[in-house]
Amino acid sequence: MSILIYFFVFMAALLVDVVPLVGPPAWTVMVFFQIKFDLDIWAVLLIGVTGSAIGRYIYSVYVPLFSDRFIKPAKNADLKFIGGKFANFGWKVQLFVLLYTLMPLPSTPLFTAAGIARIKTFKILPAFFAGKFISDAVMVIAGNYVAMNATRLDQHMMSWKSLTGMGLGVILIGLFLFTDWKRLLTEKRFGIRFNIWK
């Protein structure tokens, strides 16, 4: 029975991170299963973060299909250009991904940017996994503590922090999409273009 529950942890973490919207973070799913079924925290983290990483990889693979369909060719070329620039940064990109995932920010903007820019996301998965494991460990252990000392977990999940994180994620996606990256990287001048949709 417990093996099946761990499988559900994996699938739930994968599913919340494979959707193209800024949704609930995977750690909330891990906290739910860990508390509901009294699972081992470290096993939940290992299995949940693995599911989350695979979900984000799948997301980054299919998100370019949406950009090809709904975003103008000129903007797609701009995003591919930035992807080419990031591909040459090597360890700096790995460090950025690690630091980004250590912060309490949604990873949707990161993988939206990587996917649309055609960055080979399997190369950033190790840094993502390491940072995600550490940050989710903090959240799952804290969530477990809160649940053991509170009557309702669902009140905590819709807190101002989670809503702020979702709002920040939407802003980051917007900033990535509307920035004129080619101009910024070649001319060192910041510009915004809102007319990117077909």
Side-chain angles (χ1 to χ4, degrees), residues 27 34 53 59 92 103 131 144 148 158 164 183:
W27 67 264
Q34 193 274 320
Y59 171 75
K92 292 179 183 177
M103 293 183 282
N144 182 52
M148 294 296 117
M158 287 306 290
T164 302
R183 182 181 180 190

Side-chain angles (χ1 to χ4, degrees), residues 11-189:
M11 288 306 298
L14 187 150
L15 289 173
V16 297
D17 277 349
V18 84
V19 294
L21 302 171
V22 179
W27 67 264
T28 58
V29 171
M30 295 182 224
V31 169
F32 170 79
F33 279 100
Q34 193 274 320
I35 293 165
K36 179 79 174 171
F37 300 102
D38 193 29
L39 301 175
D40 178 73
I41 285 182
W42 299 108
V44 166
L45 277 165
L46 184 62
I47 292 166
V49 173
T50 301
S52 178
I54 293 170
R56 282 306 183 205
Y57 176 74
I58 294 169
Y59 171 75
S60 71
V61 169
Y62 78 77
V63 77
L65 302 175
F66 285 96
S67 71
D68 288 340
R69 185 171 176 86
F70 297 109
I71 297 177
K72 289 184 176 180
K75 185 60 185 178
N76 262 320
D78 186 41
L79 296 173
K80 288 176 186 174
F81 176 79
I82 186 72
K85 288 288 185 182
F86 279 130
N88 297 325
F89 288 167
W91 67 269
K92 292 179 183 177
V93 172
Q94 298 288 337
L95 181 61
F96 171 77
V97 170
L98 178 65
L99 294 175
Y100 183 94
T101 51
L102 286 173
M103 293 183 282
L105 297 171
S107 57
T108 304
L110 180 68
F111 282 88
T112 301
I116 292 176
R118 273 66 169 186
I119 295 170
K120 293 179 180 176
T121 49
F122 67 87
K123 291 183 177 179
I124 64 171
L125 283 180
F128 172 77
F129 185 91
K132 184 85 168 153
F133 188 88
I134 294 167
S135 60
D136 280 3
V138 171
M139 300 307 289
V140 170
I141 291 168
N144 182 52
Y145 174 80
V146 168
M148 294 296 117
N149 294 281
T151 54
R152 290 181 60 85
L153 181 63
D154 58 347
Q155 292 174 349
H156 182 66
M157 288 186 182
M158 287 306 290
S159 67
W160 68 270
K161 289 182 181 178
S162 63
L163 294 174
T164 302
M166 283 190 263
L168 189 58
V170 170
I171 291 169
L172 288 172
I173 290 173
L175 185 62
F176 175 78
L177 287 175
F178 298 124
T179 297
D180 187 342
W181 290 104
K182 198 166 189 178
R183 182 181 180 190
L184 181 64
L185 292 171
T186 56
E187 302 175 22
K188 307 293 189 227
R189 291 170 56 196

